[in-house]
C-alpha cells in the first residue's frame, strides 16, 4: 500500500474494463472447449526460477541483445502478443506466447512456428485458434469477477489483471517460476509523450493522463495506468515474487520505489 500511495491517478471512471462482453466471452469459451485441446495445468520444469517476459513497450528495441543472451542462458522466453513477431524477426524464437485478449490478434503472430507453445485463454477469439491450429496450442482459462461461466466449473482458472502481460506472471508462477525479468513492460508512453508501442504506434492525445511515482511523472493511456495499478497487487497474492524490470518506465520506477522503502520487489 505504501508504494501505491506514491501513484497519483486521474479518475478513470468506468471506461477501462477487460475487452469483450460476457456473452461474447462465453461463446468463445464454448468454441475453445469444443476443440479438445490440451489444457494448461501446474507443472514443474527444469529452470533457474526466472522467466523472461517480453512485452511491446517503446523501450523493447533497446534490449534486443540482452534478450538474446537470456535465451542463450537457457531461460524461458515468453512473448506477449505483438512481441512475438518482433522476436522472430530478430532470430529469437520465443518458447511461449501468451494471450488473454478476446479480440483478433492474428497480426501479432504472423511468424507462427512449430517450436513456440501458444498459450491461448479460452476467452480468446476463435479466429486465433483457427490461425494457430497447426501449432502447439495449450489452452488455459481466465478468471475475473465478471467471468463466472458455468462451462468452466471444476477447471483451473487463472486471474491476475486485465492485460496478457500480468496474466503471464500468474501463469509463470503456477509453472514454478518466482523471479520475472521484464522487457518492454514500460506501462507508459515514450519520452516523446506520444508513442505507446515499439512499433511507433501513438496513443490518442485525449486518452493521455499523468501518473506520478517517486516524484517522477509518467504519461499513460488508461490501459497503461490500470496495468501499473494492478501490477502492485501481485505482491499481495504471490508470496516471494521478485521482478527485474528493464528500461526506465513506470513499472521499473514502481519496483525501484518499493526497494527504496524496503518492500518486497
Amino acid at each position: 500500500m505504501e508504494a501505491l500511495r506514491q501513484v497519483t491517478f486521474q479518475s478513470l471512471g468506468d471506461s477501462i474494463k477487460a475487452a469483450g462482453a460476457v456473452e461474447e466471452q462465453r461463446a468463445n469459451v464454448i468454441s475453445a472447449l469444443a476443440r479438445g485441446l490440451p489444457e494448461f495445468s501446474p507443472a514443474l520444469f527444469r529452470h533457474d526460477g526466472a522467466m523472461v517476459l517480453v512485452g511491446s513497450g517503446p523501450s523493447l528495441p533497446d534490449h534486443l541483445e540482452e534478450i538474446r543472451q537470456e535465451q542463450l542462458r537457457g531461460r524461458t522466453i515468453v512473448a506477449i502478443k505483438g512481441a512475438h513477431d518482433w522476436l522472430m524477426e530478430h532470430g529469437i524464437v520465443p518458447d511461449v506466447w501468451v494471450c488473454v485478449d478476446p479480440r483478433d490478434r492474428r497480426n501479432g503472430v504472423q511468424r507462427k512456428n512449430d517450436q513456440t507453445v501458444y498459450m491461448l485463454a479460452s476467452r480468446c477469439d476463435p479466429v486465433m485458434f483457427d490461425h494457430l491450429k497447426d501449432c502447439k496450442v495449450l489452452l488455459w482459462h481466465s478468471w475475473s469477477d465478471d467471468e463466472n461461466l458455468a462451462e468452466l466449473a471444476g477447471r483451473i482458472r487463472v486471474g491476475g489483471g486485465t492485460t496478457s502481460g500480468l496474466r503471464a506472471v500468474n501463469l509463470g508462477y503456477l509453472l514454478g517460476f518466482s523471479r520475472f525479468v521484464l522487457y518492454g513492460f514500460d506501462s507508459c508512453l515514450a519520452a516523446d509523450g506520444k508513442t505507446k508501442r515499439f512499433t511507433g504506434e501513438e496513443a490518442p492525445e485525449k486518452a493521455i493522463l499523468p501518473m506520478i511515482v517517486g516524484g517522477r511523472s509518467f504519461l499513460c493511456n488508461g490501459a497503461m495506468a490500470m496495468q501499473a495499478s494492478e501490477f502492485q497487487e501481485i505482491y499481495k497474492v504471490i508470496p516471494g515474487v521478485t521482478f527485474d524490470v528493464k528500461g526506465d518506465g513506470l513499472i521499473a520506477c514502481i519496483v525501484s520505489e518499493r526497494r527504496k522503502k524496503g518492500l518486497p520487489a
Side-chain angles (χ1 to χ4, degrees):
M1 290 298 294
E2 293 184 15
L4 185 59
R5 295 193 190 102
Q6 294 295 315
V7 183
T8 302
F9 291 98
Q10 178 175 320
S11 176
L12 300 178
D14 297 323
S15 60
I16 307 301
K17 296 181 179 179
V22 173
E23 287 307 313
E24 176 188 357
Q25 293 170 20
R26 175 174 285 109
N28 290 357
V29 166
I30 293 172
S31 173
L33 291 175
R35 296 170 187 267
L37 292 165
E39 296 188 22
F40 167 81
S41 60
L44 295 177
F45 295 92
R46 293 175 62 88
H47 56 77
D48 67 355
M51 174 178 276
V52 178
L53 305 184
V54 183
S56 299
S59 71
L60 179 58
D62 298 335
H63 303 283
L64 174 60
E65 292 309 316
E66 291 177 62
I67 298 171
R68 198 185 308 281
Q69 290 303 312
E70 298 278 15
Q71 188 165 62
L72 291 174
R73 292 174 64 184
R75 285 182 165 173
T76 300
I77 307 296
V78 181
I80 310 300
K81 294 192 296 190
H84 175 281
D85 283 0
W86 182 84
L87 289 170
M88 291 292 293
E89 288 165 7
H90 290 88
I92 302 173
V93 180
D95 299 288
V96 180
W97 180 77
V98 172
C99 184
V100 72
D101 200 324
R103 293 170 289 189
D104 182 353
R105 292 298 187 184
R106 288 175 292 179
N107 63 334
V109 281
Q110 292 301 303
R111 295 175 177 264
K112 55 188 178 179
N113 65 88
D114 59 6
Q115 180 176 326
T116 302
V117 175
Y118 295 90
M119 294 186 65
L120 282 164
S122 55
R123 73 196 292 267
C124 290
D125 194 312
V127 300
M128 294 303 302
F129 291 92
D130 293 335
H131 178 61
L132 297 168
K133 66 182 187 323
D134 297 323
C135 301
K136 297 176 184 176
V137 176
L138 186 62
L139 185 66
W140 61 281
H141 307 296
S142 168
W143 177 88
S144 68
D145 289 336
D146 60 353
E147 291 181 280
N148 296 314
L149 307 182
E151 291 81 2
L152 296 179
R155 285 182 162 88
I156 293 174
R157 302 178 67 183
V158 182
T162 54
T163 67
S164 294
L166 294 182
R167 294 297 176 102
V169 172
N170 284 263
L171 287 167
Y173 180 72
L174 290 174
L175 286 169
F177 295 86
S178 59
R179 292 181 285 124
F180 297 89
V181 185
L182 308 185
Y183 292 93
F185 273 69
D186 304 302
S187 210
C188 64
L189 302 178
D192 61 8
K194 299 178 180 180
T195 306
K196 67 176 183 177
R197 293 195 180 96
F198 71 90
T199 56
E201 181 181 352
E202 296 185 353
E205 187 173 347
K206 64 180 181 180
I208 296 175
L209 53 98
M211 295 183 66
I212 299 173
V213 177
R216 295 182 58 192
S217 181
F218 299 87
L219 294 178
C220 311
N221 64 13
M224 292 171 176
M226 181 66 74
Q227 177 173 256
S229 177
E230 292 173 339
F231 172 80
Q232 296 175 88
E233 297 299 310
I234 291 174
Y235 295 103
K236 298 179 182 179
V237 296
I238 301 183
V241 66
T242 62
F243 294 94
D244 179 6
V245 188
K246 306 300 182 178
D248 192 34
L250 176 55
I251 296 292
C253 188
I254 289 173
V255 171
S256 176
E257 287 300 305
R258 289 183 63 89
R259 290 193 177 120
K260 289 178 183 178
K261 293 179 177 293
L263 297 170

